[in-house]
């Protein structure tokens, strides 16, 4: 079919990959940071276009037939009736909106359960719907002038197409807004009005293999999607697969054929980039647990902590760390602190504390996996992402604690690759060579594959030790 490009506009940079449309092989790449200092809560979206232009320099897109766009989630670009930005885009985990989130949960809709039923999630500070409430309350003039609402990838697609009258988005991006339901496939415009104070025009949600349009130069632009959905598509995950992402906080997501409505709000019901669903469970404490343990032990980096942990044995001589250092979302314990139990003279050694930190972090993520399993989500293998996935102490423990095969892909920009795969799909459908129900079969990522093997029984004993301590400390936390 030729060559396609995937463009990923993350919070910090733009990366572009140019791929063979048939195999997915990466042929060339471009990169440029956004011309923005740090990670502000407000960003002029023109910064995204500037870094896009720089990343595409040197003829990078020469010969490309289609482009897919992935971009940071939770960004809101408010436009006036003429299509001009009313104010800078509101991006990231905007702490200013924390009060607005609580405000929305307690408002007329009827609490956490009502929100979960309506749109598959409970408002959080980062979500677009919450940022609209913040805008309404703190910048009412800007809110009043807001006539159109776009997310980052919607805005970039619209710009690439020359700002046409038609504005589009995809299911994946829409599912994170807090005013579109993955279960019903429809907007809740009443929730936009509840948050913003009035109705606004929302982009048309098009199908996973649909094209958003064609540029004046004849380049096909696919639907685009959010970074999470693009990364899942770039990894090639399907039914039976879960992705555990190790950042400062952690997230667990899996492919499922239907939306999971969860009245507790622990599961966020997102849609993926293929027409399936992507339920997500987050933990507040992942790699921050390891960094805290390293500092406590006077170690300069996580590699040293991992090496130390490997001198201990599974179960850390009875030491159990409940790693709820920043409170926790899974289970819902917002005001807790971490707990270290099992201290005996023989367990009070640095290597056992290091091991307990790794096991506590991974058991917390296994709890999140079990939330999904408890709702009928099949998990046969787990993709482990993040720099910490390379640590020997993580790789030694994760398969047995998760009770599944663990795949550690080589580092790559999977969001950009997923955007390119989406472009190839839309291109193939437009040419009549691909089915709109079946994405192109690209080669999977190069990866290490780790099996639980004979360690499974040991891992499950460690897990049970953790669960027992959690239940004694916080009885019924998952009820």
């Amino acid at each position: 079919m030729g060559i396609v490009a995937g463009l990923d506009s993350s919070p910090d940079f733009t990366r572009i990959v140019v791929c063979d449309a048939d195999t997915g092989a990466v042929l060339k790449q471009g990169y440029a940071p956004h011309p923005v200092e740090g990670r502000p809560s407000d960003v002029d979206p023109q910064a995204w276009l500037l870094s896009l232009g720089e990343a595409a320099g040197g003829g990078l897109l020469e010969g490309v037939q289609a482009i897919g766009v992935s971009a940071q989630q939770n960004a809101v670009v408010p436009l006036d009736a003429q299509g001009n930005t009313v104010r800078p885009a509101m991006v990231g985990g905007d702490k200013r909106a924390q009060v607005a989130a609580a405000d929305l949960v307690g408002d007329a809709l009827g609490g956490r359960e009502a929100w979960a039923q309506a749109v598959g999630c409970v408002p959080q500070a980062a979500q677009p719907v919450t940022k609209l409430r913040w805008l309404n309350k703190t910048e009412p003039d800007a809110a009043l002038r807001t006539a159109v609402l776009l997310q980052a990838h919607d805005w970039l697609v619209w710009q690439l197409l020359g700002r046409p009258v038609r504005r589009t988005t995809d299911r994946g991006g829409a599912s994170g807004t807090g005013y579109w339901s993955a279960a019903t496939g429809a907007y809740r415009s009443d929730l936009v009005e509840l948050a913003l104070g009035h109705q606004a025009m929302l982009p048309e949600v098009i199908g996973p293999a649909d094209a958003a349009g064609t540029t004046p130069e004849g380049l096909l632009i696919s639907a685009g999607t959010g970074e999470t959905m693009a990364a899942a598509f770039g990894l090639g995950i399907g039914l039976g697969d879960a992705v555990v992402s190790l950042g400062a906080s952690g997230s667990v997501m899996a492919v499922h054929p239907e939306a999971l409505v969860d009245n507790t709000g622990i599961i966020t019901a997102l849609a993926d980039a293929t027409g399936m669903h992507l339920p997500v469970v987050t933990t507040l404490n992942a790699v921050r647990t390891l960094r805290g343990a390293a500092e406590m032990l006077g170690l300069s980096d996580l590699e040293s902590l991992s090496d130390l942990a490997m001198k201990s044995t599974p179960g850390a001589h009875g030491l159990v760390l409940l790693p709820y250092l920043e409170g926790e979302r899974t289970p819902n314990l917002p005001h807790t602190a971490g707990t270290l139990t099992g201290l005996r003279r023989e367990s009070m050694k640095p290597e056992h504390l290091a091991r307990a930190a790794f096991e506590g972090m991974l058991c917390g993520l296994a709890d999140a996996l079990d939330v999904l399993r408890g709702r009928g989500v099949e998990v046969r293998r787990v993709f482990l992402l993040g720099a910490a996935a390379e640590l020997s102490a993580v790789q030694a423990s994760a398969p047995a604690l998760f009770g599944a095969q663990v795949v550690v892909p080589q580092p790559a920009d999977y969001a950009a690759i997923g955007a390119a795969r989406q472009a190839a799909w839309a291109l193939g459908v437009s040419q009549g060579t691909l089915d709109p129900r079946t994405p192109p079969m690209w080669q999977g990522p190069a990866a290490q594959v780790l099996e639980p093997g004979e360690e499974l029984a040991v891992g499950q004993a460690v897990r049970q030790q953790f669960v027992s301590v959690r239940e004694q400390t916080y009885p019924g936390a998952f009820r």
Side-chain angles (χ1 to χ4, degrees):
M1 289 195 307
I3 59 173
V4 294
L7 183 163
D8 176 37
S9 181
S10 83
D12 300 314
F13 57 80
T14 298
R15 190 179 300 280
I16 301 174
V17 297
V18 176
C19 299
D20 181 285
D22 292 313
T23 66
V26 176
L27 307 174
K28 45 187 176 174
Q29 302 184 52
Y31 167 87
H34 297 319
V36 176
E37 289 291 322
R39 280 198 176 186
S41 298
D42 293 327
V43 175
D44 182 346
Q46 292 295 328
W48 307 333
L49 282 182
L50 289 170
S51 67
L52 192 167
E54 188 180 338
L60 184 76
L61 299 179
E62 197 173 314
V64 164
Q65 295 168 275
I67 296 177
V69 177
S70 154
Q72 59 181 302
Q73 286 156 244
N74 298 321
V76 182
V77 187
L79 305 177
D80 64 19
Q82 287 71 48
N84 302 311
T85 50
V86 168
R87 69 179 310 286
M90 295 173 280
V91 301
D94 197 336
K95 290 186 177 178
R96 299 174 301 184
Q98 285 175 338
V99 172
D103 193 26
L104 277 177
V105 172
D107 212 324
L109 193 63
R112 295 174 64 87
E113 288 190 16
W115 277 95
Q117 288 286 343
V119 287
C121 61
V122 178
Q124 303 288 334
Q127 281 183 302
V129 71
T130 307
K131 289 169 178 169
L132 296 183
R133 171 55 68 99
W134 177 88
L135 187 65
N136 184 15
K137 295 297 185 184
T138 57
E139 298 180 8
D141 291 344
L144 202 57
R145 288 190 293 122
T146 299
V148 181
L149 295 172
L150 297 180
Q151 293 184 84
H153 78 83
D154 309 335
W155 187 84
L156 284 164
V157 165
W158 184 57
Q159 294 291 329
L160 289 171
L161 291 173
R163 296 164 58 107
V165 173
R166 182 192 189 214
R167 300 177 182 92
T168 62
T169 190
D170 87 307
R171 296 168 66 255
S175 67
T177 59
Y179 44 80
W180 185 88
S181 166
T184 64
Y187 280 117
R188 288 288 301 263
S189 54
D190 58 316
L191 300 184
V192 174
E193 187 168 357
L194 181 69
L196 187 62
H198 62 87
Q199 293 287 354
M201 189 175 291
L202 303 170
E204 176 190 346
V205 181
I206 62 176
D210 291 344
T214 306
T215 69
E217 299 78 30
L219 264 175
L220 183 141
I221 307 294
S222 63
T225 195
E227 271 191 318
T228 296
M229 300 80 190
F233 197 39
L235 283 166
I237 69 169
L239 290 172
D241 292 334
V243 177
V244 172
S245 184
L246 300 176
S249 54
S251 69
V252 176
M253 62 182 177
V255 178
H256 199 56
E258 59 191 35
L260 295 179
V261 176
D262 172 43
N263 290 339
T264 69
I266 286 181
I267 299 174
T268 299
L270 299 179
D272 79 348
T274 72
M276 301 284 276
H277 294 268
L278 205 61
V280 179
V281 179
T282 58
T283 68
L284 293 181
N285 302 281
V287 175
R288 64 165 45 98
T289 305
L290 305 183
R291 296 205 185 283
E295 288 171 16
M296 194 174 176
L297 292 166
L299 301 172
S300 59
D301 53 47
L302 297 187
E303 288 75 15
S304 301
L305 184 72
S306 175
D307 292 344
L308 185 62
M310 293 300 286
K311 295 177 181 175
S312 180
T313 52
H317 272 245
L319 278 190
V320 176
L321 176 65
L322 299 183
Y324 307 151
L325 310 183
E326 302 281 326
E328 190 47 84
R329 277 190 64 184
T330 308
N332 186 27
L333 298 167
H335 307 300
T336 56
T339 305
L340 183 65
T341 66
L343 286 167
R344 295 183 178 84
R345 180 66 193 88
E346 64 272 16
S347 66
M348 295 176 73
K349 294 182 178 178
E351 59 267 31
H352 302 323
L353 176 58
R355 183 88 187 199
F358 280 96
E359 291 178 346
M361 175 189 75
L362 292 170
C363 284
L365 290 160
D367 277 350
L369 268 173
D370 279 356
V371 169
L372 295 178
R373 284 176 167 135
R375 291 295 305 276
V377 177
E378 186 181 9
V379 179
R380 290 194 305 271
R381 61 176 180 170
V382 174
F383 286 76
L384 202 53
L385 304 184
E390 303 287 337
L391 297 173
S392 55
V394 169
Q395 295 190 5
S397 302
L401 292 177
F402 292 161
Q405 182 188 81
V406 168
V407 179
V408 184
Q410 284 187 1
D413 197 318
Y414 291 107
I417 292 168
R421 190 178 177 205
Q422 187 194 64
W425 195 5
L427 179 64
V429 168
S430 75
Q431 295 174 339
T433 58
L434 286 177
D435 188 318
R437 295 163 300 184
T438 309
M441 299 300 293
W442 280 12
Q443 58 198 22
Q448 286 177 272
V449 178
L450 310 168
E451 301 284 355
E454 295 176 359
E455 296 296 313
L456 182 60
V458 175
Q460 295 311 291
V462 172
R463 182 80 203 293
Q464 189 53 52
Q465 178 179 266
F466 177 91
V467 170
S468 297
V469 170
R470 171 175 38 76
E471 279 300 304
Q472 287 167 15
T473 313
Y474 302 107
F478 276 105
R479 241 172 250 154

